[in-house]
Amino acid sequence: GDQVEQSPSALSLHEGTGSALRCNFTTTMRAVQWFRKNSRGSLINLFYLASGTKENGRLKSAFDSKERYSTLHIRDAQLEDSGTYFCAASSNAYKVIFGKGTHLHVLP
Amino acid sequence: DMKVTQMPRYLIKRMGENVLLECGQDMSHETMYWYRQDPGLGLQLIYISYDVDSNSEGDIPKGYRVSRKKREHFSLILDSAKTNQTSVYFCASRGQTHSGNTLYFGEGSRLIVV
């Protein structure tokens, strides 16, 4: 079936540095959404993209439906960015499939 | 205020007991979802509801059933809980915003089956 492959599974960054998370899709997806699971366990919406790129503060996301991937870039990482990041993608109007998540640990 | 509310937030049940997890949304969204989230596995789709009394199995429906009698409420039912159903369950609703067809999640219901 449709799959979302998220990488890396875990990532450690020092404060002030940056990196990128990536999701590859096994089929053409209509849209992608990125979430962060906070310390309380809640899933926080970061981005929704049907195409192109979006930026919000220190976060930037891109989605290429044709090439079947999406990325989430974090720059100038802060301690409060630590958490688990998930991408979720939809291949049809209803079904939304999640990646397995990236555990980000920001180090002082 | 756009909100998805789950009840209860925490629950401990014995094997074989019935479990009812409830979810409400105040956005009049047609589509709602139940997922479970386990370490290392991401979120796995249990059921989708397209609207009242219009539900469809997701990827892991076995051992679960759902009920949607009103658009704003979507319930997940375990008729005889098993220990491997210990998990965190997330409800979501999906609707159009200025950003797109966005998923909104509740805060999760942590179920422990002993």
Side-chain angles (χ1 to χ4, degrees), chain B:
Chain B
D1 192 22
M2 297 183 291
K3 199 172 174 67
V4 177
T5 305
Q6 291 185 231
M7 291 290 287
R9 296 288 316 280
Y10 304 95
L11 191 58
I12 300 176
K13 286 285 194 176
R14 296 187 188 279
M15 203 165 57
E17 288 186 327
N18 298 336
V19 178
L20 173 65
L21 301 180
E22 302 202 81
C23 177
Q25 49 105 353
D26 61 2
M27 298 168 276
S28 296
H29 287 166
E30 293 176 351
T31 311
M32 295 185 74
Y33 303 81
W34 275 105
Y35 290 88
R36 62 178 281 176
Q37 203 248 316
D38 301 290
L41 291 180
L43 277 80
Q44 297 175 275
L45 180 62
I46 306 172
Y47 267 94
I48 305 171
S49 176
Y50 306 109
D51 209 332
V52 172
D53 283 331
S54 179
N55 307 315
S56 178
E57 294 180 346
D59 295 321
I60 53 161
K62 190 177 178 183
Y64 304 95
R65 63 182 173 93
V66 291
S67 174
R68 184 125 179 247
K69 296 301 180 186
K70 293 183 179 180
R71 181 173 280 187
E72 60 268 26
H73 291 135
F74 188 34
S75 301
L76 182 69
I77 301 136
L78 290 67
D79 286 315
S80 177
K82 298 174 180 53
T83 54
N84 62 9
Q85 292 177 308
T86 292
S87 188
V88 181
Y89 291 86
F90 284 97
C91 172
S93 73
R94 193 176 187 203
Q96 277 292 341
T97 68
H98 64 279
S99 301
N101 209 8
T102 309
L103 267 181
Y104 292 89
F105 277 92
E107 295 204 328
S109 296
R110 182 177 293 275
L111 170 67
I112 298 173
V113 183
V114 297

Side-chain angles (χ1 to χ4, degrees), chain A residues 8-81:
Chain A
S9 58
L11 180 62
S12 292
L13 292 176
H14 285 283
E15 267 188 302
T17 65
S19 189
L21 285 55
R22 185 177 176 104
C23 282
N24 291 325
F25 312 120
T26 58
T27 190
T28 301
M29 298 293 184
R30 290 179 162 203
V32 68
Q33 199 167 347
W34 284 90
F35 298 87
R36 182 173 69 88
K37 193 176 183 186
N38 66 14
S39 56
R40 292 184 57 205
S42 300
L43 286 161
I44 310 300
N45 284 319
L46 298 176
F47 293 104
Y48 175 94
L49 296 99
S51 64
T53 63
K54 285 188 179 177
E55 191 165 358
N56 185 3
R58 296 177 291 101
L59 299 178
K60 182 176 179 180
S61 183
F63 173 47
D64 190 326
S65 175
K66 186 178 177 185
E67 298 300 323
R68 300 185 181 178
Y69 76 91
S70 178
T71 56
L72 177 69
H73 292 260
I74 302 172
R75 62 176 175 84
D76 188 23
Q78 303 296 305
L79 294 176
E80 60 264 28
D81 294 331

